């Protein structure tokens, strides 16, 4: 199995973290960003969208991070990761969709607007508007975590992978933001997962004030 994508991409980090959780042997190939390689014929054959991450499993190519995550748990996860009951799967599936359409775009608004933008070009009004959305999202997460240890229950799931991948960078980019109590407790639990500390809690300083990929 191979995973293509630069380590500093948090969408790639989601997949790398899950591969560690599932204890799958894989080869990581750095492409994109300063590594380039997205325009090569070989990569375009794997993903015509020319984006990372891309997973290659034998002769199968899978792209889009959340699709890759779903593929991995369906193919290699146990009952905890991929329940037979569709409703049980929906308990984490909804967080994948919510994160991708609500939480992640707001975070990206802060990250691209603040961390990846030279200071002289920052639109702080827009940044704080996006940050307010992130704070509201954290309250939603906190309400859920008052009921469960992890986002979808008492064991880790894809919900934690996709939302947890955002949290570290959200609080580490230099903007003032405080995690609610339940979120902070959950964040400390994520810090005990090897894949999280190895791949998500990694250095992304090369992206600072860098407007391109």
């Amino acid at each position: 199995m191979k995973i293509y994508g630069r380590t500093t991409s948090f969408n790639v980090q989601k997949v790398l973290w899950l591969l560690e959780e599932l204890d799958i042997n894989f080869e990581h190939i750095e492409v994109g960003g300063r590594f380039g390689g997205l325009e090569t014929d070989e990569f375009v054959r794997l993903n015509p969208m020319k984006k990372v991450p891309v997973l290659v499993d034998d002769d199968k190519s899978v792209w889009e991070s959340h699709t890759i995550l779903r593929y991995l748990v369906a193919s290699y996860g146990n009952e905890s990761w991929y329940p037979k009951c569709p409703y049980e799967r929906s308990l984490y599936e909804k967080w994948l969709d919510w994160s991708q359409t609500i939480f992640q775009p707001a975070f990206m608004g802060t990250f691209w607007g603040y961390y990846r933008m030279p200071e002289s070009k920052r639109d702080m009004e827009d940044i704080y508007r996006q940050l307010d959305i992130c704070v509201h999202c954290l309250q939603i997460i906190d309400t859920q975590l008052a009921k469960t240890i992890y986002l979808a229950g008492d064991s880790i799931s894809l919900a934690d992978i996709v939302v947890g991948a955002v949290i570290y960078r959200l609080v580490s980019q230099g903007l003032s933001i405080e995690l609610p109590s339940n979120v902070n407790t959950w964040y400390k639990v994520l810090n005990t997962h090897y894949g999280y500390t190895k791949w998500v809690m990694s250095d992304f300083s090369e992206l600072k004030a860098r407007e391109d990929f």
Side-chain angles (χ1 to χ4, degrees), residues 20 53 59 81 110 133 159:
E20 299 286 357
D59 61 345
W81 283 100
T110 69
I133 298 173

Side-chain angles (χ1 to χ4, degrees), residues 51-149:
K51 292 185 176 181
V52 295
V54 173
L55 181 82
V56 175
D57 186 13
D58 291 328
D59 61 345
K60 301 181 289 292
S61 173
V62 187
W63 42 275
E64 286 297 330
S65 60
H66 288 198
T67 299
I68 294 171
L69 298 178
R70 290 180 171 102
Y71 169 81
L72 285 172
V73 295
S75 301
Y76 299 101
N78 57 24
E79 177 74 12
S80 174
W81 283 100
Y82 191 76
K84 293 179 182 179
C85 172
Y87 175 73
E88 292 296 321
R89 293 199 300 271
S90 78
L91 297 179
Y92 68 74
E93 287 273 3
K94 59 190 177 186
W95 289 102
L96 272 71
D97 295 332
W98 175 83
S99 179
Q100 195 165 45
T101 58
I102 305 296
F103 189 32
Q104 185 170 313
F107 157 69
M108 291 296 285
T110 69
F111 190 67
W112 278 90
Y114 179 78
Y115 194 82
R116 300 201 60 165
M117 190 67 64
E119 186 174 357
S120 61
K121 298 174 67 175
R122 290 172 182 164
D123 180 349
M124 294 307 298
E125 183 178 346
D126 183 64
I127 291 167
Y128 284 123
R129 183 163 51 247
Q130 298 298 328
L131 194 63
D132 284 344
I133 298 173
C134 290
V135 169
H136 177 66
C137 289
L138 290 174
Q139 292 298 331
I140 293 173
I141 298 167
D142 192 68
T143 299
Q144 175 61 32
L145 290 170
K147 309 170 189 173
T148 54
I149 299 173

Side-chain angles (χ1 to χ4, degrees), residues 41-56:
D41 291 342
E42 178 187 3
F43 188 81
V44 172
R45 281 194 293 271
L46 297 177
N47 183 4
M49 301 302 168
K50 304 178 183 179
K51 292 185 176 181
V52 295
V54 173
L55 181 82
V56 175

Side-chain angles (χ1 to χ4, degrees), residues 5 12-13 22 31 36 42 49-50 65 79 88 122 146 166-167 196 198:
V12 175
Q13 291 173 354
L22 297 178
V31 294
E42 178 187 3
M49 301 302 168
K50 304 178 183 179
S65 60
E79 177 74 12
E88 292 296 321
R122 290 172 182 164
V166 174
I167 298 294
Y196 190 76
K198 179 178 181 179

